[in-house]
Amino acid sequence: MAGTTAGASERKFIYIDMDSFFVSVELLDAPHLSHCPVAVGGTAAERGVISTANYIARKFGVKSGMATATAHRLCPDLVLLPTRFEAYEAITRKLDEIFRRYTDKVEFQSLDEAALEVTGQACFNGSATHIAAHIRATVQQELGLTASAGVAPLKYLAKIASEMRKPNGMFVITPSQVRGFLDELDVRKIPGVGPKTYAVLENLGCRQCKDVTEDKIPALMRYLGVHGFYVWERCQGIEEADEGGSDIKSVGIERTLPSDCDALCDCLEELDRLSQGLRERIADMGDDYLITKNLVKLKFSDFSISTTEASANRLCTHTVQSLCRLLWDTRREGRSVRLIGLSVKVRRKVLDDIQMAFPW
C-alpha cells in the first residue's frame, strides 16, 4: 500500500495559512481599524455573507459564511468592508514569489493557503522547521501580514498542523510523532470528514483516529463507499505520494458555470455532462494508457478550490459522484460552486509490460 508513514518520513511539507487574509490585506490600507472588529463581505441589504472576519470579530461569534445581518446582530460595532479580489490576488502573487525562493513545489489550495514540499532542499541544512520560520518572518517583513504554518512528513498533516497555533503560530509534527499525534486526533480534523461523514463514524464508535481500525473498513465502505477507505487511510497516516515522470499524466475537462450552483444535485448533473466529454478525450488517446485515478475539482464563490481523488481503473460514475459529495459536504457554509472540473490520471501501458519482466 502506497504512502505509509514509514515511507513518508523522507518527505517534508510546510502548509502556510494566512491569518484572516482578506481583512488583513484591507487593514494594510486602513491601519486605524486594526483594533476594531472588522469583516469583509456583502452588505446585509444585499443579503450578503461574511467572507472573512478578523479575530476580534470572531470573539463575538462572527465567522465565514455567516449572513451579514446575523453578524451585525452579534457584533453591532462590526466594520464591514467590501470584497476586493483583485487586491487579494495581487498579494497571493507576491506570496507565490516568496514561497518559490525556497522550493518550486508550491500548491495553492486557495488565495490564502498553500502546501510546499521542501524535501531535499539545501537551505537551512534541509530543516523544514527553519524554512517555515523564515518564510513566516519574510512574509511579515515584506508584506506586513502574519501567517500560521504547519510542518509534517505528510501534506494533509501539515495542513492540520497549521491550524494548531493560529493565529501567527507554527506547529511541527516530526515523523516519530505522527502515530501519537493521530491517535489523539479528533476525526473531524481529518480533511474530508464533514458532519455527514462524522455521523457515520460516531455511530461506529470512531471519535478519534485511533478508533478507526482496520476491522472497521468493511463498515466504512458499506456506509461511505470509496470515501470510507480514504478516511481509514488518513487516520492511519497513509497518504499516497504524488506520481512523477513523463509517463504519468492527467487528462481533464472543466467548466465555469453560467451561475453559481447551490445544490448538490445540479453539481452531479454537470459532472455527468463533463464525463461524456472526458470519455471522448480518453478514447482519443487510444489503447496506450491505463487509467489509475479519478479526480474532481470544485471552485467556490470565494475563489477557493478543493480537489480530491480516488484510485480507479476507469472513469467510474459512482466514484466521481462520491468524490463530489465529499467536496460538497466539507465546503464552508455559504459557499456556492462556480466551476466544476473532472480528470483522470493515466499511466502508459508499456511501463507495466516492462515491469512484469523483472522478478518481484
Side-chain angles (χ1 to χ4, degrees), residues 164-289:
M164 302 295 290
R165 294 287 184 268
K166 285 189 73 70
N168 196 23
M170 184 168 72
F171 190 84
V172 178
I173 305 171
T174 65
S176 64
Q177 295 170 338
V178 169
R179 186 66 266 166
F181 178 82
L182 282 171
D183 279 348
E184 303 304 317
L185 186 68
D186 188 319
V187 292
R188 287 173 289 190
K189 295 291 186 180
I190 296 292
V193 177
K196 293 181 181 178
T197 298
Y198 180 67
V200 172
L201 292 171
E202 188 176 35
N203 190 53
L204 294 173
C206 300
R207 294 180 177 84
Q208 294 176 300
C209 289
K210 64 183 177 184
D211 301 324
V212 188
T213 52
E214 191 169 357
D215 65 302
K216 297 287 200 317
I217 292 177
L220 291 170
M221 296 290 284
R222 185 183 314 123
Y223 295 113
L224 298 173
V226 66
H227 183 46
F229 191 73
Y230 160 91
V231 172
W232 177 80
E233 284 187 317
R234 296 304 181 268
C235 289
Q236 302 307 310
I238 297 172
E239 180 177 61
E240 189 167 302
D242 295 331
E243 297 115 328
S246 59
D247 291 292
I248 296 174
K249 63 179 183 178
S250 178
V251 180
I253 187 171
E254 61 183 38
R255 180 171 182 257
T256 299
L257 304 176
S259 59
D260 290 355
C261 175
D262 294 307
L264 173 60
C265 60
D266 293 336
C267 288
L268 295 177
E269 288 181 5
E270 181 61 34
L271 272 176
D272 285 341
R273 287 189 284 269
L274 291 176
S275 294
Q276 296 174 14
L278 183 55
R279 286 192 173 92
E280 294 176 1
R281 295 191 181 187
I282 294 170
D284 290 341
M285 297 176 63
D287 297 326
D288 293 337
Y289 288 89

Side-chain angles (χ1 to χ4, degrees), residues 287-290 347-354:
D287 297 326
D288 293 337
Y289 288 89
L290 292 170
R347 182 192 299 272
R348 191 181 293 275
K349 281 184 179 179
V350 67
L351 281 182
D352 297 327
D353 296 338
I354 293 173

